[in-house]
């Protein structure tokens, strides 16, 4: 398959940006899925030692990818401890 891509790029050099952007998009999607699987509090890989990882998050922990208007360092806890 890589041989076909290279031969198409040699025959039609205008396809090179298309291959670059499709490769970058696929790589970015794979990295984002990896980030969600490893750092998202809703995902539990170890059920015996940490069955509910979302309960260990404090109010100051930012787990969103990007936050526009919220400063997580100034938040206070509003609920009880579990």
């Amino acid at each position: 398959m890589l041989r076909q891509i290279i031969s198409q790029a040699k025959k039609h050099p205008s396809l090179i940006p298309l291959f670059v952007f499709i490769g970058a998009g696929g790589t970015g999607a794979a990295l984002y899925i990896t980030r969600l699987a490893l750092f998202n509090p809703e995902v539990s890989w170890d059920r015996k030692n940490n069955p509910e990882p979302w309960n260990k998050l404090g109010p100051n922990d930012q787990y969103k990818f990007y936050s526009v208007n919220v400063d997580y360092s100034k938040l206070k806890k509003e609920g009880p401890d579990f």
Side-chain angles (χ1 to χ4, degrees):
M1 181 159 168
L2 186 60
R3 193 178 305 160
Q4 272 185 327
I5 292 173
I6 292 172
S7 68
Q8 288 293 323
K10 286 181 182 178
K11 289 178 187 175
H12 305 284
S14 62
L15 291 177
I16 292 173
L18 177 70
F19 295 145
V20 169
F21 284 110
I22 287 177
T27 303
L31 288 174
Y32 185 68
I33 293 293
T34 303
R35 180 194 174 279
L36 285 178
L38 295 177
F39 299 114
N40 203 357
E42 284 88 12
V43 178
S44 177
W45 291 95
D46 187 12
R47 285 188 163 192
K48 290 183 180 178
N49 295 328
N50 194 8
E52 296 177 341
W54 50 88
N55 283 338
K56 292 188 178 182
L57 288 176
N60 298 344
D61 294 333
Q62 179 179 358
Y63 60 91
K64 289 186 174 184
F65 186 70
Y66 180 71
S67 179
V68 179
N69 295 329
V70 178
D71 186 13
Y72 284 93
S73 64
K74 296 179 182 176
L75 291 179
K76 296 179 182 177
K77 188 172 184 177
E78 296 179 3
D81 289 331
F82 290 107

